[in-house]
Amino acid sequence: MNSPIQTVDKPLSAKGRFGRLSFAAWTMLMTIVFCIVIFILAFASFGGNLLVNSDFPLITVLLFIVIYAAMIYISFIFTIRRLHDRNQTGWLSLLMLIPFFNLIFLIYLLAAKGSDGENNYGPLRETAGWEKVLGWIYIVILPLAFVFGIIGAIALPAYQGYIERSQQIQMEYQQNYSE
């Protein structure tokens, strides 16, 4: 009897395919894990005095670089798997290195439907239930983060200008009424 060989999917391997929700879920999971690791590293390095201590130990800087390089590597793995789902070569993942275009490419990867059935890169991968939930959360959070980032970029300089003007008015008031 010929039965298909069951293979174990390894998400950190460039071989295989990721559907849209799997790609979004694993990207969000990677981001959460790396943020936690960086927070723990920063807290351990600065002993809770992150805002006060301005000395960056060399080992901390090196660890940040290693962690960032690992995050970029894993991001490329996920992008390659997503491209494989579209039956496209993983070399297209190098487009992620082009500023601004990488945002358009990310939207493309999240929106473009993968090929049905088996393609040149393997059989269709079933999306797990947790991947569907986490993927949808990521898809909802991503535009919100972009909008709030723009609002923050506009509001922060305006707030700083407000603080400077209020301090200037307060100094003028003190000078006028202290005489």
Side-chain angles (χ1 to χ4, degrees):
M1 175 189 274
N2 291 339
S3 63
I5 299 172
Q6 295 293 324
T7 58
V8 176
D9 183 49
K10 297 176 183 170
L12 297 178
S13 168
K15 295 183 179 185
R17 297 168 56 178
F18 265 172
R20 292 176 281 195
L21 291 177
S22 295
F23 173 72
W26 282 97
T27 300
M28 183 174 181
L29 185 63
M30 174 196 62
T31 304
I32 291 170
V33 167
F34 279 106
C35 284
I36 290 171
V37 168
I38 286 175
F39 177 77
I40 290 171
L41 177 63
F43 190 78
S45 297
F46 299 104
N49 295 326
L50 188 58
L51 297 175
V52 177
N53 191 351
S54 64
D55 298 329
F56 287 111
L58 180 61
I59 189 72
T60 302
V61 172
L62 293 176
L63 284 173
F64 278 133
I65 291 171
V66 168
I67 290 168
Y68 188 67
M71 185 173 173
I72 289 173
Y73 173 76
I74 292 172
S75 176
F76 270 101
I77 296 290
F78 295 162
T79 303
I80 290 168
R81 288 184 65 125
R82 179 67 189 115
L83 287 165
H84 286 176
D85 191 52
R86 301 257 319 122
N87 205 21
Q88 296 172 326
T89 179
W91 286 104
L92 288 174
S93 65
L94 294 175
L95 294 173
M96 293 296 284
L97 297 174
I98 302 171
F100 182 69
F101 186 77
N102 54 7
L103 297 173
I104 296 167
F105 190 59
L106 177 64
I107 293 169
Y108 164 75
L109 291 175
L110 289 171
K113 187 177 182 330
S115 61
D116 293 328
E118 190 166 341
N119 66 18
N120 294 337
Y121 300 99
L124 186 63
R125 180 183 180 275
E126 187 174 333
T127 304
W130 70 268
E131 289 176 337
K132 291 177 183 176
V133 171
L134 202 57
W136 276 112
I137 291 171
Y138 184 73
I139 289 170
V140 168
I141 287 177
L142 197 61
L144 290 175
F146 184 73
V147 168
F148 285 122
I150 291 173
I151 291 172
I154 293 169
L156 189 60
Y159 179 71
Q160 288 173 337
Y162 165 76
I163 294 295
E164 289 172 4
R165 286 190 307 275
S166 67
Q167 288 174 345
Q168 185 180 13
I169 291 170
Q170 185 178 15
M171 287 175 52
E172 289 173 2
Y173 178 81
Q174 288 174 351
Q175 288 175 353
N176 291 337
Y177 292 102
S178 66
E179 296 173 351

